[in-house]
Amino acid sequence: MYAAKNCWRLGWFFFPRTTATQTLLANYRPIALCNSFYQLINIIITSRIRGLTEKYAVLESSQHGFRGSRSPTVQLVIQKERWLLKQAMKQDTKLIRVDLDFKNAFNSAGHSSLWKILEGFGVPDVSLLSSIYEHSTIRIQVGSKSSAAIQLDAGTVQGSALSPLPFDLFINALLRLLDSAGISHRIRGVPDWNHQAFADDLSLYVGSTEDANTLLDIVSAFQEWSGLKISIKKSLATGALYDRGETQR
């Protein structure tokens, strides 16, 4: 009886092979093939919450990922950075950029942290969302073999129509913490801001190493609380040191 009542929540995880070594589990990427009725419910919930978050400006303007209202968003990010760099060069000042990549971000967001963040933002139907996740199960299939049913306690399901929005809201909490730090790039004549985000890719823009360390401390505290982890191998810092009389990168 339980299986019949809850079969619409069942998803299958397939692991598409990459061009890398196929014997290493890290080279596989999980994609969920969700039940059609499950997807329909998620589309309805997503439509409602998306409209509310955009109407009441819940998401930070610095977040450009998964936002259909911002179709030319990649170009906006590029042009915004180019303008900042150009002004730094004109003013002979320093600009430091730190690019951060979260390791396996969509599968690492802790559910308890996610529900607290959504409730804090006043998102409706959080109890419904948590119920869907708490009672959903997945099976992992590789080739012709599959596992027993597994209940998820972290992450958002890649392949679900709902997942991008909760993840945007999840990261939104970190973006607000960065905004509240009172730190900017220090370039005169340019609106103050210190970061840009595209889904789980985050770039910090500051005028000193001290400011960079302050923002990184905020990111570190958030990752410890939320379950997300920074991928050190995929993160880097660059600098345009115009204040030394020549460009150094």
Side-chain angles (χ1 to χ4, degrees):
M1 180 65 70
Y2 178 84
K5 289 169 60 179
N6 293 276
C7 64
W8 64 273
R9 293 173 175 159
L10 183 63
W12 290 79
F13 265 18
F14 293 85
F15 291 79
R17 294 178 177 177
T18 66
T19 56
T21 305
Q22 298 177 3
T23 55
L24 297 178
L25 184 60
N27 293 332
Y28 285 72
R29 295 296 179 265
I31 301 296
L33 180 60
C34 301
N35 182 284
S36 297
F37 187 63
Y38 180 94
Q39 286 284 46
L40 177 60
I41 295 296
N42 283 341
I43 289 172
I44 294 172
I45 295 173
T46 301
S47 178
R48 178 169 185 252
I49 298 178
R50 174 69 70 185
L52 292 172
T53 55
E54 295 294 350
K55 178 180 179 180
Y56 295 103
V58 175
L59 293 174
E60 295 291 286
S61 60
S62 56
Q63 174 60 272
H64 302 280
F66 303 130
R67 303 182 73 174
S69 59
R70 299 187 172 196
S71 55
T73 186
V74 175
Q75 286 301 317
L76 286 174
V77 173
I78 294 174
Q79 293 303 321
K80 192 174 183 179
E81 180 182 339
R82 286 178 176 175
W83 173 253
L84 187 65
L85 191 62
K86 184 177 181 180
Q87 295 306 306
M89 181 173 60
K90 285 183 177 180
Q91 297 175 28
D92 291 328
T93 190
K94 181 191 301 182
L95 179 64
I96 297 174
R97 168 179 163 176
V98 182
D99 294 324
L100 301 175
D101 181 87
F102 290 99
K103 184 186 302 183
N104 201 17
F106 289 91
N107 299 322
S108 303
H111 285 175
S112 59
S113 301
L114 174 60
W115 310 139
K116 287 181 180 178
I117 288 173
L118 297 186
E119 288 173 350
F121 286 143
V123 174
D125 303 327
V126 174
S127 59
L128 174 60
L129 293 174
S130 63
S131 177
I132 289 175
Y133 268 84
E134 288 171 7
H135 295 92
S136 295
T137 57
I138 59 97
R139 293 178 187 270
I140 298 176
Q141 179 168 326
V142 179
S144 60
K145 297 182 179 180
S146 64
S147 70
I150 302 171
Q151 187 172 357
L152 299 178
D153 59 2
T156 56
V157 180
Q158 296 187 58
S160 165
L162 173 65
S163 295
L165 179 55
F167 188 81
D168 259 1
L169 290 165
F170 186 83
I171 290 293
N172 200 59
L174 172 59
L175 305 187
R176 289 199 176 187
L177 289 173
L178 294 173
D179 276 339
S180 67
I183 292 173
S184 77
H185 45 67
R186 301 189 185 184
I187 307 300
R188 299 188 306 275
V190 179
D192 289 337
W193 50 276
N194 59 27
H195 69 273
Q196 291 195 99
F198 195 95
D200 60 329
D201 294 320
L202 177 64
S203 295
L204 309 177
Y205 298 83
V206 293
S208 68
T209 54
E210 292 79 8
D211 287 349
N213 287 332
T214 298
L215 295 186
L216 288 173
D217 285 341
I218 293 174
V219 174
S220 177
F222 182 81
Q223 75 167 351
E224 289 300 322
W225 175 78
S226 67
L228 295 183
K229 298 297 180 183
I230 297 294
S231 174
I232 302 299
K233 292 182 179 180
K234 294 183 179 180
S235 301
L236 69 140
T238 59
L241 311 181
Y242 296 112
D243 60 330
R244 297 188 179 183
E246 59 181 3
T247 303
Q248 299 183 14
R249 297 185 69 81

